[in-house]
Amino acid sequence: MTEYFEVHARDAAARVGELRLAESVTTPTLADDVVEDAGSEWVQRRDRPAGDESALTVLPYRGFPSGTAEEVQASFAPDYPDVAFPSAAVVSPQTADDYGADAYVLSGAPGIVGHGAAFRDAVVDTREAIPDDTALYLSGVATPRNVAVLVYAGVDLVDADRAVVRGTQGRYLTTEGAYDLEDLDELPCSCPACQQPVAEFDRDDCVDHNVNALKAELGRVRRRIRDGRLRDYVEGQSRHEAWVTAAFREFDQQYGYLEERTPVMRDSLLLSATEDALRRVEIQRFAERVTTRYRKRLDDHPLLLVPCSAKKPYSESQSHRQFQDAANYRAHVVSMTSPIGVVPQELELTYPAQHYDSVVTGRWSEEEQDFVARVLRRYLDRTDYSRVIAHVPEEGYRDICERVAGDVDVPFEFTVEDHPTTDESLGELQAALAGEPQMWVEDREKATLRAVADYYVGDGAGDELFDDLTVQGRYPKLQALNGDGEQLAALVPQYGTLSFTLAGARKWVASDAPTKRVEIDGFVPEGSVLAPGVIDASDDIRVGDEVVVEGPKAFAVGRAAMPGPAMADATRGVAVDVRHTEET
Ligand SMILES: [Zn+2]
């Protein structure tokens, strides 16, 4: 059982945690203050200063790589039975397992760091084998340039060993490079060690600077994790060293590992500034769910493909208002966008559809065109339209539409002459839709609530949960009521999610829709369910998912604060933020 480490914030595999020592330490951080000499596989114990009960300078290690001689293990056994300490186990990817330790030291880290695929395999294998609420420690490898990617991969603790060694060798480290001291004609840093003329700057100063630079980078990384924006940062920061770029891309091939750890909703910005953004979990997951879970319910209307807008949600942008004025709700609006693919109007609020910002130049890369074309094709395979009105600009969009039009049965019509918002183009759009029936507001609102249920809960969920739906409120503040006027759920405009009531949760559990369940002990949760109270949880629960909480004494509904597999494992931390609860 871990007692000294708790995860407080998650951003995919990266976490901000707390290592409880004499004073709490926020991770990811340098372990140097926590333990000395942990860099070697064989850890030397250091005694605490006599009489100082609070200063924790010992990290007894439990667990050894297989094959370690008994007498060696015995000599390292902790001998402080009266004092509780955090413990760490030294493991390799092959020996990694749950040894009941608070931290796990990956042996041989310097041989792994520097090779993208080897690094990925070692971290993924180890992280998957050890409990989620334990710290992973890579010793002797961190530099200001690589540490963001180490943390992105799932590392919680590093140390300054390499930065110190490089400093003593006269190597000056920055987040983008490494320089020989002799080559520097000025010090490109404003840390305290660098507040002196370059001529007087010696190797001791260089050590201090390197450690300062590493600490400063870890501070930035912690900030980005708390903001849910480490990925954007890493896409840029990984560019300064080839193996780091390779490692970061290797993790994009590890979809399952990252997907399990990536929240399904948040309100932070997703900046798409590189092509790597196409491969991030949030983008792939949205495309996957739109093309496998989402169901179109606004039948009898043609598809109107329009370009995305910079302003989100799209429907509030000036261009989309013009499109809707011309279309007059006679078509089902779907926005085409890089990097997301296609966004049906019902999902315009759903993360990350209203949360991304992309670099708009009007030019689309081949990869962007391929991606959007693939998603559009899959979308059309699953939906049924009589016609497609493509009201899209020439540049990029039209090429994609023409490419897809050749592969599908439904006919495409193009209504843009020069630019989508010119009077001429809007007139063409209006004319193309003449004679088509108008949508009812209520039908659009119902379709929205059901589509969001499909997206979050699973294929068919919208129809299962909301079979006798009535809608209250004005978009986007919609409430889903059953036929008896009882509220089941509400749309949360900020995230484009549903929040269920107890009645909604009961209906969910009784329905054939896939359920996300958290089974708890015999207590009545108030405010939150802590991980130790969780007996079991569905594997497919992600951070941000609505979950039903059931136990011998209570029935509750709330929002997951950790992934399902972690809930079942963890012994610390909030598992579910409970919204409503009742005793049973
Ligand atoms: Zn400096």
Side-chain angles (χ1 to χ4, degrees), residues 172 189 191 194 209:
Y172 184 99
C189 172
C191 83
C194 295
H209 157 80

Side-chain angles (χ1 to χ4, degrees), residues 43 48 100 224 239 241 253 269 374 381 393 442 534 562:
V43 175
R48 295 179 302 158
R224 298 296 293 209
R239 291 294 197 269
E241 194 171 4
Q253 306 302 316
L269 175 75
R374 201 162 61 239
D381 284 345
E442 200 191 345
V534 175
M562 56 175 73

Side-chain angles (χ1 to χ4, degrees), residues 16 155 180 271 289 305 336 348 371 397 425 431 500 549 572:
V16 166
V155 174
D180 282 327
L271 177 63
R289 292 187 178 190
L305 283 175
M336 289 173 66
E348 68 163 4
F371 174 74
Y397 291 96
S425 296
F500 285 97
V549 179
R572 280 198 166 264

Side-chain angles (χ1 to χ4, degrees), residues 510-528:
S511 78
D512 287 334
T515 322
K516 295 174 200 287
R517 291 170 192 262
V518 178
E519 185 190 345
I520 59 167
D521 261 327
F523 63 95
V524 181
E526 281 175 33
S528 56

Side-chain angles (χ1 to χ4, degrees), residues 232-477:
D232 302 0
Y233 181 69
V234 166
E235 283 183 16
Q237 176 54 30
S238 69
R239 291 294 197 269
H240 302 296
E241 194 171 4
W243 91 264
V244 178
T245 316
F248 155 71
R249 290 193 175 147
E250 291 288 346
F251 272 86
D252 277 347
Q253 306 302 316
Q254 210 65 42
Y255 183 77
Y257 176 78
L258 290 180
E259 197 278 333
E260 177 183 319
R261 293 163 172 80
T262 301
V264 288
M265 59 85 146
R266 42 188 167 188
D267 61 359
S268 55
L269 175 75
L270 186 161
L271 177 63
S272 166
T274 78
E275 290 206 359
D276 287 314
L278 288 173
R279 284 178 289 278
R280 60 186 288 173
V281 165
E282 296 92 328
I283 301 299
Q284 294 289 331
R285 181 158 58 196
F286 190 91
E288 172 72 18
R289 292 187 178 190
V290 165
T291 54
T292 61
R293 295 183 172 193
Y294 164 81
R295 290 188 188 180
K296 173 175 76 83
R297 296 177 174 84
L298 296 160
D299 291 330
D300 310 321
H301 302 283
L303 169 60
L304 173 55
L305 283 175
V306 296
C308 63
S309 58
K311 185 174 170 62
K312 316 283 184 320
Y314 301 135
S315 63
E316 287 180 14
S317 71
Q318 200 190 346
S319 61
H320 280 237
R321 285 197 172 130
Q322 289 174 294
F323 302 151
Q324 202 56 276
D325 282 348
N328 200 17
Y329 300 100
R330 289 172 298 180
H332 181 229
V333 176
V334 172
S335 300
M336 289 173 66
T337 175
S338 175
I340 297 189
V342 300
V343 181
Q345 61 187 41
E346 302 97 302
L347 295 178
E348 68 163 4
L349 300 174
T350 297
Y351 181 78
Q354 67 165 326
H355 308 85
Y356 76 97
D357 197 2
S358 54
V359 181
V360 180
T361 59
R363 288 187 305 278
W364 293 54
S365 72
E366 189 56 34
E367 192 177 1
E368 285 178 297
Q369 295 200 21
D370 273 351
F371 174 74
V372 177
R374 201 162 61 239
V375 178
L376 177 58
R377 203 176 290 120
R378 284 170 58 194
Y379 176 81
L380 289 172
D381 284 345
R382 190 175 149 86
T383 48
D384 185 30
Y385 292 99
S386 54
R387 334 156 45 194
V388 177
I389 316 295
H391 193 74
V392 295
E394 289 280 332
E395 196 84 55
Y397 291 96
R398 179 147 182 169
D399 297 337
I400 295 169
C401 288
E402 283 173 347
R403 223 192 280 189
V404 173
D407 302 335
V408 295
D409 293 334
V410 56
F412 274 60
E413 298 157 51
F414 294 90
T415 46
V416 172
E417 284 304 322
D418 37 14
H419 190 271
T421 54
T422 60
D423 289 345
E424 194 184 0
S425 296
L426 292 169
E428 288 284 326
L429 173 59
Q430 200 169 8
L433 291 170
E436 294 286 352
Q438 218 177 14
M439 288 175 193
W440 296 100
V441 175
E442 200 191 345
D443 288 343
R444 284 192 281 132
E445 292 174 345
K446 285 182 177 177
T448 297
L449 290 165
R450 288 179 172 139
V452 174
D454 292 340
Y455 184 91
Y456 275 104
V457 177
D459 188 18
D463 296 327
E464 288 286 342
L465 295 173
F466 302 138
D467 52 350
D468 57 350
L469 181 64
T470 58
V471 185
Q472 214 166 57
R474 260 179 77 95
Y475 184 84
K477 292 182 179 170

